[in-house]
Amino acid sequence: MRTTLLLIFVATFTQSVAQSDPYEMRFRGTPVTVPEETQQARLRAASDWPAFSEAHPRWQAVMDAHTGLPHRAYGPALAYDGMDWEDRLGAFEAELAAFGVNADFDWDVNESGAKHDWAFAQQAVEGVPVFGAKVMTKWREGALVAWGADWYRDAALPEGELLPEQDLLAAAEVGLDLDDWGSPEAQSMLLVPQTSETGQLTFRIVQPFVVSGRLGALPKRYLTWVDALTGEVLMRANQVRHIDGRIAMPATADRPERVVRRMGIDRPAAVTISGSVRAEVHAMYP
């Protein structure tokens, strides 16, 4: 299984490098670093973890240096009083409050019917979701076996006047030179954490757009983040990926528009599949 995943990663990485897009822009958010054990001990001591681990022996935690909270905590099953989700999650919220995580949680419960059930709560500030910030709980037979709080206790909306949506859309399209344009799609605003080069954590309010079109024969679908206060484009990522080993090349002065093969695939699929891939992966998962 691990070998298969490695091969998929290598293939994906090779293809992404080969198909580098000059219009894409990377966003420097909060770089994930796994703290060393000395920093882990310092983070645990500065939080309510000593009291939690004393009340719940044999539990362990991986702390997040950006939030100062357990990114993952796991241990022997904890049975809380109450027979339903409202009672159990209410009891767990009291545990979170000791860590300084206080909110009117809106839990999304996933009863999978398999070995584990899950409940998640998205962080929001004045109705604006905080990107990548949520509480995760994992349950087995009604008992808690793991949890994590990627939660920014000091998150706040930056001060300033939001730019009109048409100005933000114009900013999202700046620098793009597409042959055909689709209809842009505005998505819900986000509050995005960002760490400066000096290590200071700030928050940007972002208006996401999907700007689509074609460049020659190639479909383009750019997820674009625009700072809603300044109009600065923070990130642009093409969500279209080709997975059959071929790519369409636009016409040049001496050659017509054509399809070429990639990655040494001798028998590409008969149909090209172009789609969007989204996954949330955290380097600190145990």
Side-chain angles (χ1 to χ4, degrees), residues 14-238:
T14 303
Q15 189 174 27
S16 67
V17 171
Q19 297 183 5
S20 58
D21 189 323
Y23 294 133
E24 289 193 326
M25 298 174 59
R26 299 292 182 184
F27 175 71
R28 187 185 188 280
T30 52
V32 176
T33 57
V34 180
E36 297 179 353
E37 182 52 38
T38 53
Q39 187 181 11
Q40 283 282 311
R42 189 163 54 248
L43 291 169
R44 285 193 291 264
S47 72
D48 194 63
W49 184 257
F52 183 92
S53 61
E54 182 179 356
H56 308 299
R58 294 191 292 149
W59 270 68
Q60 302 179 58
V62 178
M63 306 295 289
D64 188 306
H66 298 297
T67 65
L69 295 169
H71 165 69
R72 275 299 175 271
Y74 48 95
L78 301 180
Y80 292 106
D81 292 337
M83 297 299 294
D84 57 21
W85 279 106
E86 183 177 357
D87 292 338
R88 291 196 295 268
L89 289 172
F92 176 68
E93 288 177 15
E95 304 265 33
L96 288 176
F99 285 88
V101 180
N102 296 283
D104 185 12
F105 295 98
D106 183 12
W107 292 100
D108 179 16
V109 176
N110 180 5
E111 294 184 290
S112 63
K115 184 177 180 180
H116 295 106
D117 298 319
W118 307 79
F120 301 90
Q122 169 69 50
Q123 183 179 8
V125 176
E126 298 183 28
V128 179
V130 180
F131 181 75
K134 62 184 176 183
V135 173
M136 179 282 300
T137 61
K138 181 179 180 180
W139 306 76
R140 183 174 64 239
E141 297 178 354
L144 183 71
V145 294
W147 64 275
D150 294 325
W151 199 273
Y152 297 92
R153 291 166 290 182
D154 55 352
L157 295 179
E159 296 181 357
E161 193 73 22
L162 300 181
L163 294 175
E165 184 172 314
Q166 60 268 26
D167 293 348
L168 296 174
L169 174 57
E173 296 176 343
V174 166
L176 290 176
D177 186 16
L178 302 180
D179 297 319
D180 294 302
W181 293 80
S183 299
E185 306 168 26
Q187 299 182 347
S188 299
M189 281 192 173
L190 297 170
L191 188 63
V192 179
Q194 184 176 35
T195 304
S196 67
E197 293 182 359
T198 60
Q200 182 180 3
L201 182 66
T202 59
F203 293 89
R204 311 283 292 266
I205 186 164
V206 168
Q207 174 63 69
F209 292 97
V210 176
V211 180
S212 58
R214 285 185 175 272
L215 184 61
L218 297 178
K220 299 289 184 178
R221 185 174 173 82
Y222 292 107
L223 174 61
T224 308
W225 283 1
V226 181
D227 188 302
L229 298 179
T230 66
E232 177 188 0
V233 176
L234 302 175
M235 185 271 289
R236 181 183 287 137
N238 185 17

